[in-house]
Short mmCIF file of all heavy atoms in Angstrom, two decimals:
data_model
loop_
_atom_site.label_atom_id
_atom_site.label_comp_id
_atom_site.label_asym_id
_atom_site.label_seq_id
_atom_site.Cartn_x
_atom_site.Cartn_y
_atom_site.Cartn_z
N GLY A 155 68.67 -4.37 24.59
CA GLY A 155 69.38 -5.29 25.46
C GLY A 155 69.12 -5.09 26.94
O GLY A 155 69.46 -5.97 27.75
N ASP A 156 68.53 -3.97 27.31
CA ASP A 156 68.22 -3.74 28.72
C ASP A 156 66.96 -4.53 29.09
O ASP A 156 65.96 -4.48 28.38
CB ASP A 156 67.99 -2.25 28.96
CG ASP A 156 67.95 -1.89 30.44
OD1 ASP A 156 67.12 -2.48 31.17
OD2 ASP A 156 68.73 -1.02 30.87
N PRO A 157 67.00 -5.28 30.20
CA PRO A 157 65.81 -6.06 30.60
C PRO A 157 64.56 -5.20 30.76
O PRO A 157 63.45 -5.65 30.50
CB PRO A 157 66.23 -6.68 31.94
CG PRO A 157 67.72 -6.71 31.89
CD PRO A 157 68.13 -5.50 31.11
N ARG A 158 64.74 -3.95 31.16
CA ARG A 158 63.60 -3.07 31.34
C ARG A 158 62.99 -2.67 29.99
O ARG A 158 61.80 -2.38 29.91
CB ARG A 158 64.00 -1.84 32.14
CG ARG A 158 64.25 -2.14 33.62
CD ARG A 158 64.90 -0.97 34.33
NE ARG A 158 66.26 -0.76 33.84
CZ ARG A 158 67.08 0.20 34.28
NH1 ARG A 158 66.65 1.02 35.23
NH2 ARG A 158 68.30 0.33 33.79
N THR A 159 63.81 -2.68 28.96
CA THR A 159 63.29 -2.42 27.62
C THR A 159 62.36 -3.55 27.19
O THR A 159 61.30 -3.32 26.59
CB THR A 159 64.43 -2.26 26.60
OG1 THR A 159 65.25 -1.16 26.99
CG2 THR A 159 63.92 -2.03 25.20
N GLU A 160 62.76 -4.77 27.50
CA GLU A 160 61.91 -5.92 27.20
C GLU A 160 60.62 -5.88 28.03
O GLU A 160 59.55 -6.22 27.55
CB GLU A 160 62.67 -7.22 27.46
CG GLU A 160 63.79 -7.48 26.47
CD GLU A 160 63.30 -7.51 25.04
OE1 GLU A 160 62.29 -8.19 24.77
OE2 GLU A 160 63.91 -6.82 24.20
N ARG A 161 60.75 -5.45 29.27
CA ARG A 161 59.57 -5.30 30.13
C ARG A 161 58.62 -4.26 29.54
O ARG A 161 57.40 -4.45 29.53
CB ARG A 161 60.00 -4.89 31.54
CG ARG A 161 58.86 -4.51 32.48
CD ARG A 161 57.91 -5.66 32.74
NE ARG A 161 56.85 -5.26 33.68
CZ ARG A 161 55.79 -6.01 33.96
NH1 ARG A 161 55.65 -7.19 33.38
NH2 ARG A 161 54.88 -5.59 34.82
N HIS A 162 59.15 -3.17 29.05
CA HIS A 162 58.36 -2.10 28.44
C HIS A 162 57.59 -2.63 27.23
O HIS A 162 56.39 -2.33 27.06
CB HIS A 162 59.30 -0.96 28.02
CG HIS A 162 58.63 0.21 27.39
ND1 HIS A 162 58.35 0.27 26.04
CD2 HIS A 162 58.16 1.38 27.94
CE1 HIS A 162 57.77 1.42 25.76
NE2 HIS A 162 57.65 2.12 26.89
N LYS A 163 58.26 -3.42 26.43
CA LYS A 163 57.60 -4.00 25.26
C LYS A 163 56.47 -4.93 25.67
O LYS A 163 55.38 -4.93 25.07
CB LYS A 163 58.63 -4.77 24.41
CG LYS A 163 58.08 -5.34 23.12
CD LYS A 163 59.18 -6.00 22.32
CE LYS A 163 58.65 -6.53 20.99
NZ LYS A 163 59.73 -7.17 20.19
N LYS A 164 56.71 -5.72 26.70
CA LYS A 164 55.70 -6.66 27.18
C LYS A 164 54.51 -5.92 27.79
O LYS A 164 53.35 -6.37 27.67
CB LYS A 164 56.32 -7.59 28.22
CG LYS A 164 55.40 -8.70 28.71
CD LYS A 164 55.05 -9.68 27.59
CE LYS A 164 54.21 -10.83 28.09
NZ LYS A 164 53.83 -11.76 27.01
N LEU A 165 54.77 -4.78 28.42
CA LEU A 165 53.70 -4.03 29.05
C LEU A 165 52.65 -3.59 28.04
O LEU A 165 51.46 -3.56 28.35
CB LEU A 165 54.27 -2.81 29.77
CG LEU A 165 54.85 -3.06 31.16
CD1 LEU A 165 55.59 -1.83 31.66
CD2 LEU A 165 53.75 -3.46 32.15
N ASP A 166 53.08 -3.25 26.84
CA ASP A 166 52.13 -2.86 25.81
C ASP A 166 51.14 -3.98 25.52
O ASP A 166 49.93 -3.76 25.39
CB ASP A 166 52.88 -2.48 24.53
CG ASP A 166 51.96 -1.91 23.46
OD1 ASP A 166 50.97 -1.26 23.81
OD2 ASP A 166 52.25 -2.12 22.27
N GLU A 167 51.64 -5.21 25.46
CA GLU A 167 50.78 -6.37 25.23
C GLU A 167 49.86 -6.62 26.42
O GLU A 167 48.67 -6.91 26.25
CB GLU A 167 51.63 -7.62 24.96
CG GLU A 167 52.57 -7.49 23.77
CD GLU A 167 53.52 -8.67 23.67
OE1 GLU A 167 53.32 -9.65 24.43
OE2 GLU A 167 54.45 -8.62 22.85
N LEU A 168 50.41 -6.51 27.62
CA LEU A 168 49.62 -6.78 28.81
C LEU A 168 48.52 -5.74 29.00
O LEU A 168 47.38 -6.07 29.34
CB LEU A 168 50.52 -6.81 30.04
CG LEU A 168 51.52 -7.97 30.10
CD1 LEU A 168 52.46 -7.79 31.29
CD2 LEU A 168 50.79 -9.30 30.20
N VAL A 169 48.86 -4.47 28.79
CA VAL A 169 47.88 -3.41 28.94
C VAL A 169 46.73 -3.59 27.96
O VAL A 169 45.56 -3.33 28.28
CB VAL A 169 48.55 -2.03 28.77
CG1 VAL A 169 47.50 -0.94 28.60
CG2 VAL A 169 49.43 -1.72 29.98
N ALA A 170 47.04 -4.06 26.76
CA ALA A 170 46.00 -4.31 25.76
C ALA A 170 45.02 -5.38 26.26
O ALA A 170 43.81 -5.29 26.02
CB ALA A 170 46.63 -4.74 24.45
N LYS A 171 45.53 -6.37 26.98
CA LYS A 171 44.67 -7.43 27.52
C LYS A 171 43.89 -6.94 28.73
O LYS A 171 42.74 -7.33 28.94
CB LYS A 171 45.52 -8.64 27.91
CG LYS A 171 46.19 -9.35 26.74
CD LYS A 171 47.04 -10.51 27.25
CE LYS A 171 47.75 -11.22 26.09
NZ LYS A 171 48.61 -12.33 26.57
N TRP A 172 44.52 -6.10 29.53
CA TRP A 172 43.91 -5.67 30.79
C TRP A 172 42.95 -4.50 30.63
O TRP A 172 42.15 -4.24 31.51
CB TRP A 172 45.00 -5.24 31.78
CG TRP A 172 45.94 -6.30 32.21
CD1 TRP A 172 45.72 -7.65 32.22
CD2 TRP A 172 47.28 -6.11 32.70
NE1 TRP A 172 46.83 -8.31 32.68
CE2 TRP A 172 47.80 -7.39 32.99
CE3 TRP A 172 48.08 -4.99 32.93
CZ2 TRP A 172 49.09 -7.56 33.49
CZ3 TRP A 172 49.35 -5.16 33.42
CH2 TRP A 172 49.86 -6.43 33.71
N ARG A 173 43.03 -3.76 29.51
CA ARG A 173 42.45 -2.43 29.42
C ARG A 173 40.94 -2.39 29.70
O ARG A 173 40.43 -1.40 30.22
CB ARG A 173 42.74 -1.81 28.05
CG ARG A 173 41.95 -2.43 26.91
CD ARG A 173 42.44 -1.96 25.56
NE ARG A 173 41.51 -2.28 24.51
CZ ARG A 173 41.33 -3.50 23.99
NH1 ARG A 173 42.06 -4.51 24.46
NH2 ARG A 173 40.44 -3.71 23.05
N LEU A 174 40.22 -3.46 29.38
CA LEU A 174 38.77 -3.44 29.52
C LEU A 174 38.30 -4.07 30.83
O LEU A 174 37.49 -3.50 31.56
CB LEU A 174 38.12 -4.15 28.34
CG LEU A 174 38.37 -3.50 26.96
CD1 LEU A 174 37.68 -4.29 25.87
CD2 LEU A 174 37.91 -2.06 26.95
N TYR A 175 38.82 -5.25 31.14
CA TYR A 175 38.31 -5.98 32.30
C TYR A 175 39.12 -5.75 33.57
O TYR A 175 38.67 -6.10 34.66
CB TYR A 175 38.25 -7.47 31.97
CG TYR A 175 37.31 -7.77 30.83
CD1 TYR A 175 37.79 -8.04 29.56
CD2 TYR A 175 35.93 -7.76 31.03
CE1 TYR A 175 36.92 -8.29 28.50
CE2 TYR A 175 35.05 -8.01 29.97
CZ TYR A 175 35.55 -8.28 28.71
OH TYR A 175 34.70 -8.52 27.68
N GLN A 176 40.32 -5.22 33.43
CA GLN A 176 41.16 -4.93 34.60
C GLN A 176 41.73 -3.52 34.46
O GLN A 176 42.94 -3.33 34.40
CB GLN A 176 42.27 -5.96 34.72
CG GLN A 176 41.79 -7.40 34.87
CD GLN A 176 42.95 -8.38 34.99
OE1 GLN A 176 43.74 -8.32 35.92
NE2 GLN A 176 43.04 -9.30 34.05
N ALA A 177 40.85 -2.53 34.39
CA ALA A 177 41.25 -1.16 34.10
C ALA A 177 42.30 -0.60 35.08
O ALA A 177 43.28 0.01 34.65
CB ALA A 177 40.03 -0.26 34.06
N PRO A 178 42.15 -0.80 36.39
CA PRO A 178 43.19 -0.28 37.31
C PRO A 178 44.56 -0.90 37.04
O PRO A 178 45.58 -0.22 37.13
CB PRO A 178 42.65 -0.66 38.69
CG PRO A 178 41.17 -0.77 38.50
CD PRO A 178 41.01 -1.36 37.14
N ARG A 179 44.56 -2.20 36.74
CA ARG A 179 45.82 -2.87 36.46
C ARG A 179 46.44 -2.33 35.18
O ARG A 179 47.66 -2.14 35.08
CB ARG A 179 45.57 -4.37 36.33
CG ARG A 179 46.81 -5.23 36.34
CD ARG A 179 46.44 -6.71 36.29
NE ARG A 179 47.60 -7.56 36.40
CZ ARG A 179 47.57 -8.88 36.26
NH1 ARG A 179 46.40 -9.48 36.03
NH2 ARG A 179 48.66 -9.60 36.38
#
């Protein structure tokens, strides 16, 4: 229920997209 928990979950998805072409991000 904490908004930051939802942000944490979303970060996993975003990092997976960024990991190769946007490594610093």
